[in-house]
Amino acid sequence: MELPNEHFNFKDHLRKLRPKNLNTKNSLMALTIIVLIACIGIILKVDEVKTRAFSIKFGGEDLGTVRDREVAEKLIEQIEKELASTYDVEIVLDKKIEFVDTHAKDEEIITETDLRKNIRSKLTFLVSGYVLQIDGKDIGAFKTKKEADELLYAVKSPYIEGINENSNIEEVTFVEDVKVVKKDIPMSQVKSLDEVKSIIATGTTEEKTHIVEEGESYWTIAAKYNMTVDELISANPGKDPEKIYLGDEVSLIVPKPLITIATVEEVQYEQELAYETKIEQNTSMYKNEKKVKVKGVKGKSNILAKVTKHNGVEVERKIIKEEIVSKPVDELIVKGTKKLPLTAATGAFILPTRGSLSSRYGMRRGRMHKGIDLAARIGTPINAADGGTVTFAGYRGAYGYLVEVNHGNGFVTRYGHCSKIYVKKGTKVYKGQKIAAVGNTGRSTGPHLHFEVLKNGVHQNPSKYVGK
């Protein structure tokens, strides 16, 4: 309906519309109704134009209602540019923005400030970045490919820089399928180089620690969390498991690297060649005798090999070339075949007499007791603990009557406080042969045998050799 112009005359209009067959009263009523309808139409039209608005939807969520769509579009564009500038990446909205025709009163129209807040809080977006994938799984995302490449080099470098001067790196690869892929990703997935490096090294983003309490050790902490001590040590590289203190923080996450670095090195080194030992028999020597006739000498060779390592641990070694520098010289040992005499040492001792243990080896009344005492009646036979040669038979101070036997294998035995001696110096005795009798001579508090064992001149605990 068009609005009346300023020269419109209602009276003239009514006069034209008035039916000739109606009386004046009815005509006025009809005209009044027509005028009212016209006025209402005009008012409604004006109100419809005045309340026109747009409801902004983002992925189905309501961001607010605006009167001017163009103003809202410019605001959204401005926010996108701000985000792109802040994060230095290309912004890609992951949901559609819609403008829905509606009507709204002035008080229902959102302010530009509130609309900006709503857009920033609800606006989710993707960024165009570079994703590190390991065996098809996304591990982390970067703003630039350069950052991803720097990370992969940082992961490889310890295994490259650790090569010694005799090695030459031929190949450095990943055992897993490692890729850097360009794709649109949520901004929340963009991580720093250190964050992704930590994930690769430990295999997880989880952080789990234990604060050491008084009296705790790696053993008790491991048991508490159902771990092994070795796992706990692996979770805390660089820490001494023997030195933990109250309040220390102990990691409970066992590293499981996501990337395995495979290196192939060409290595040159010198290797020793073992010599063989050959035996030559001699009928004039006893069975327990042997001597070196020709001393063995190790040989040497220069080796060129290809060594494959996974994360620094060798998994394969292939010899490419071997050059003998010097051949090994076999060792020749002469061993006797002659039957041992009864007086030869067997290397195993028997208890010299029947009796009860009355004093042990060790400190006694502030002094060192260098043997064991076996209490027995005077005259009880004392037997040689093993075959050998008598090197002393007679009286010796605190020992009283003493017999000393050298067994020829580094061992010497002594038998003290004897009442009688049945051998003399130089006598060859066999294992179990009666050489003396129990007595109470010398510094003694009662009849007993004082028995000593020496190995290469050093006193030993006889109980370790003959039992209690």
Side-chain angles (χ1 to χ4, degrees):
M1 179 182 291
E2 293 183 0
L3 295 175
N5 61 45
E6 59 183 1
H7 300 294
F8 183 79
N9 192 310
F10 281 110
K11 288 183 179 182
D12 291 340
H13 188 63
L14 289 174
R15 205 178 287 120
K16 291 176 184 178
L17 293 174
R18 182 185 299 164
K20 295 180 180 179
N21 59 343
L22 291 178
N23 57 36
T24 303
K25 186 176 180 180
N26 289 338
S27 296
L28 286 172
M29 183 176 293
L31 288 172
T32 301
I33 291 171
I34 291 170
V35 171
L36 286 172
I37 291 172
C39 291
I40 290 170
I42 294 168
I43 292 169
L44 289 175
K45 180 65 177 178
V46 171
D47 188 63
E48 191 273 339
V49 172
K50 185 179 179 182
T51 60
R52 283 179 184 173
F54 299 93
S55 177
I56 305 175
K57 304 287 184 182
F58 180 67
E61 288 192 76
D62 186 30
L63 297 179
T65 302
V66 297
R67 194 73 73 194
D68 190 335
R69 173 174 176 164
E70 187 177 345
V71 171
E73 287 176 337
K74 286 183 177 179
L75 180 60
I76 293 170
E77 184 180 344
Q78 182 182 347
I79 291 173
E80 287 180 3
K81 288 180 179 179
E82 289 173 359
L83 290 172
S85 175
T86 300
Y87 296 107
D88 192 24
V89 287
E90 181 184 344
I91 302 299
V92 182
L93 297 182
D94 61 349
K95 294 177 184 176
K96 185 179 179 182
I97 293 180
E98 298 177 289
F99 290 87
V100 181
D101 290 339
T102 187
H103 289 275
K105 297 177 182 178
D106 287 343
E107 58 267 24
E108 294 174 334
I109 299 298
I110 191 168
T111 66
E112 186 174 325
T113 300
D114 289 340
L115 178 59
R116 173 181 283 275
K117 288 180 181 178
N118 284 357
I119 292 173
R120 290 192 70 98
S121 65
K122 296 181 181 179
L123 192 65
T124 57
F125 57 90
L126 301 176
V127 296
S128 182
Y130 293 84
V131 176
L132 174 65
Q133 292 182 341
I134 301 177
D135 288 337
K137 182 180 178 182
D138 291 356
I139 302 302
F142 301 91
K143 295 177 185 178
T144 65
K145 187 174 185 301
K146 182 182 177 183
E147 287 180 306
D149 291 340
E150 284 178 357
L151 170 70
L152 294 179
Y153 180 78
V155 172
K156 288 180 180 179
S157 60
Y159 304 103
I160 299 172
E161 295 167 0
I163 302 301
N164 63 48
E165 58 183 13
N166 294 322
S167 298
N168 179 38
I169 285 284
E170 290 192 339
E171 189 179 347
V172 182
T173 58
F174 300 114
V175 173
E176 296 77 14
D177 181 19
V178 179
K179 295 177 181 177
V180 177
V181 181
K182 185 177 182 180
K183 61 190 291 190
D184 295 334
I185 50 172
M187 185 66 207
S188 59
Q189 289 186 13
V190 176
K191 294 181 171 63
S192 69
L193 188 146
D194 287 340
E195 286 176 319
V196 182
K197 191 175 180 181
S198 176
I199 293 171
I200 290 172
T202 62
T204 180
T205 56
E206 183 183 2
E207 289 186 12
K208 192 175 180 183
T209 58
H210 172 81
I211 304 302
V212 177
E213 298 177 2
E214 190 166 353
E216 286 189 320
S217 65
Y218 264 38
W219 188 88
T220 60
I221 296 170
K224 183 175 182 179
Y225 293 98
N226 197 28
M227 299 172 67
T228 66
V229 173
D230 286 343
E231 286 175 334
L232 198 58
I233 291 172
S234 296
N236 296 272
K239 290 185 178 179
D240 186 345
E242 300 295 328
K243 296 179 181 179
I244 60 170
Y245 304 98
L246 182 68
D248 281 357
E249 191 174 272
V250 177
S251 174
L252 302 175
I253 301 299
V254 182
K256 295 178 182 177
L258 297 180
I259 290 181
T260 305
I261 310 299
T263 57
V264 179
E265 307 169 35
E266 193 174 81
V267 185
Q268 276 192 320
Y269 57 95
E270 191 177 79
Q271 179 174 278
E272 287 186 337
L273 300 176
Y275 57 78
E276 290 185 12
T277 300
K278 295 182 178 180
I279 304 297
E280 181 182 291
Q281 295 182 338
N282 188 312
T283 56
S284 65
M285 294 170 58
Y286 289 115
K287 285 183 178 181
N288 65 340
E289 293 180 313
K290 67 177 181 179
K291 63 181 181 180
V292 177
K293 188 174 182 179
V294 178
K295 186 173 177 61
V297 179
K298 291 180 179 179
K300 290 181 182 179
S301 66
N302 286 328
I303 302 290
L304 180 64
K306 277 194 177 182
V307 178
T308 301
K309 296 179 181 178
H310 286 178
N311 287 347
V313 178
E314 185 174 325
V315 294
E316 186 181 32
R317 179 178 293 251
K318 290 182 179 179
I319 305 298
I320 301 171
K321 183 180 178 183
E322 181 175 9
E323 182 182 339
I324 304 298
V325 177
S326 61
K327 292 182 178 180
V329 176
D330 293 339
E331 185 164 274
L332 181 60
I333 295 177
V334 180
K335 294 186 74 174
T337 60
K338 188 177 178 181
K339 187 178 180 180
L340 290 171
L342 290 175
T343 57
T346 64
F349 295 145
I350 61 170
L351 201 63
T353 191
R354 298 188 304 274
S356 59
L357 182 65
S358 59
S359 186
R360 299 177 184 276
Y361 174 87
M363 295 302 295
R364 185 179 68 174
R365 294 188 291 275
R367 298 178 65 182
M368 184 64 185
H369 186 237
K370 297 179 180 180
I372 60 173
D373 291 345
L374 298 167
R377 291 182 179 181
I378 292 176
T380 303
I382 297 172
N383 305 312
D386 198 5
T389 302
V390 177
T391 53
F392 183 87
Y395 199 89
R396 184 186 287 177
Y399 284 103
Y401 285 105
L402 171 73
V403 175
E404 181 178 273
V405 178
N406 187 331
H407 302 282
N409 54 5
F411 283 95
V412 170
T413 53
R414 290 175 180 167
Y415 312 80
H417 306 308
C418 302
S419 60
K420 291 182 181 179
I421 294 176
Y422 303 121
V423 293
K424 60 183 179 179
K425 183 178 179 180
T427 302
K428 299 282 187 180
V429 296
Y430 58 85
K431 186 176 185 175
Q433 179 179 334
K434 184 168 71 171
I435 56 175
V438 172
N440 192 28
T441 58
R443 188 184 299 141
S444 173
T445 56
H448 70 282
L449 165 65
H450 175 77
F451 177 58
E452 292 182 5
V453 174
L454 293 88
K455 182 179 180 181
N456 298 322
V458 180
H459 279 89
Q460 309 291 313
N461 184 351
S463 297
K464 290 181 179 180
Y465 297 93
V466 298
K468 297 177 182 179

